[in-house]
């Protein structure tokens, strides 16, 4: 069985991450510049998954710190189509939550398209609960706001 490893991402991975983003999203994709910004932003957490050394997926989140709490926000999770349904998405989520916890995050949240069955199922399987509906959040499609308390 192929070995999946997860490590911190950096700007040197930008080309490959943008390639995967293009494979994953026909619309609403992050631009190359947005990914570059997130990879270098101090408050972001970016991780990549490799299979036998090849980058096949990534996850990016951001931490918002207020006086009272730190909230983790998952911005995107992408797994290259030919590597899906092998637990890589779950592994990326598990790892970003581990980093969030280490940085004092108690609650993690995200938005997802209501019709994104794969992502919704993944998040719900990993303990995320619906906390609101986001009317026309994606223009022509509604979104769902999901939340999880990190224990
Ligand atoms: C969502 C995504 C990251 C899932 O990655 P993945 O590596 O295939 O996910 P996993 O293999 O870890 O799946 C874990 C569980 O999630 C659920 N799931 C994943 N893909 C699913 C699908 N297509 N249909 C239904 N459930 C699905 C299942 O419960 C699955 O467990 P199972 O395989 O034992 O049934 C991937 O489909 C993807 O990159 N999609 C395009 C990008 C995207 O929409 N990102 C989310 C933006 S908010």
């Amino acid at each position: 069985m192929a070995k999946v490893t997860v490590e911190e991402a950096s700007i040197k991975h930008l080309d490959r991450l943008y390639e995967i983003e293009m494979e994953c999203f026909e619309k609403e994709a992050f631009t190359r510049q947005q990914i570059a910004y997130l990879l270098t932003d101090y408050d972001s957490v970016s991780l990549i998954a490799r299979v036998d050394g090849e980058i096949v997926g990534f996850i990016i989140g951001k931490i918002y710190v207020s006086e009272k709490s730190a909230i983790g926000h998952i911005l995107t999770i992408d797994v290259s189509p030919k590597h899906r349904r092998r637990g890589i998405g779950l592994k990326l989520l598990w790892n970003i939550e581990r980093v969030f916890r280490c940085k004092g995050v108690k609650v993690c949240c995200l938005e997802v398209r209501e019709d994104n069955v794969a992502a919704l199922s993944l998040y719900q399987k990993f303990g995320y609960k619906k906390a609101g509906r986001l009317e026309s959040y994606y223009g022509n499609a509604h979104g769902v706001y999901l939340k999880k308390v990190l224990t």
Side-chain angles (χ1 to χ4, degrees):
M1 201 170 145
K3 188 173 173 226
V4 182
T5 56
V6 173
E7 67 191 78
E8 216 173 297
S10 83
I11 193 72
K12 70 177 185 226
H13 303 122
L14 176 61
D15 287 345
R16 178 62 185 140
L17 300 200
Y18 183 58
E19 208 171 82
I20 296 174
E21 178 78 4
M22 292 293 97
E23 285 178 342
C24 287
F25 293 97
E26 280 171 22
K27 47 194 173 189
E28 294 146 9
F30 280 108
T31 64
R32 204 171 184 283
Q33 288 77 5
Q34 285 169 324
I35 297 174
Y37 166 75
L38 290 168
L39 288 172
T40 52
D41 175 31
Y42 181 78
D43 296 320
S44 295
V45 177
S46 311
L47 304 173
I48 51 173
R50 291 183 189 267
V51 170
D52 294 333
E54 181 200 354
I55 300 175
V56 299
F58 67 98
I59 188 164
I60 302 180
K62 214 169 150 91
I63 298 175
Y64 296 92
V65 183
S66 71
E67 269 176 38
K68 288 188 189 158
S69 62
I71 292 177
H73 186 198
I74 292 173
L75 297 171
T76 195
I77 178 168
D78 295 29
V79 174
S80 177
K82 64 177 189 286
H83 293 276
R84 288 184 188 160
R85 295 312 282 268
R86 294 179 201 169
I88 295 171
L90 280 174
K91 196 159 185 168
L92 284 165
L93 265 182
W94 187 88
N95 276 278
I96 201 165
E97 287 186 2
R98 182 179 54 80
V99 177
F100 279 168
R101 277 192 198 89
C102 288
K103 292 176 181 273
V105 170
K106 301 272 188 272
V107 176
C108 191
C109 61
L110 59 95
E111 298 84 24
V112 58
R113 276 178 73 112
E114 203 173 51
D115 58 4
N116 190 340
V117 176
L120 262 173
S121 309
L122 168 75
Y123 294 132
Q124 287 177 319
K125 183 168 190 165
F126 210 55
Y128 286 77
K129 305 271 185 244
K130 287 185 185 175
R133 188 168 192 248
L134 305 162
E135 287 289 322
S136 307
Y137 189 76
Y138 297 95
N140 60 341
H142 304 306
V144 182
Y145 182 64
L146 298 178
K147 231 175 174 178
K148 177 178 174 179
V149 175
L150 302 185
T151 49

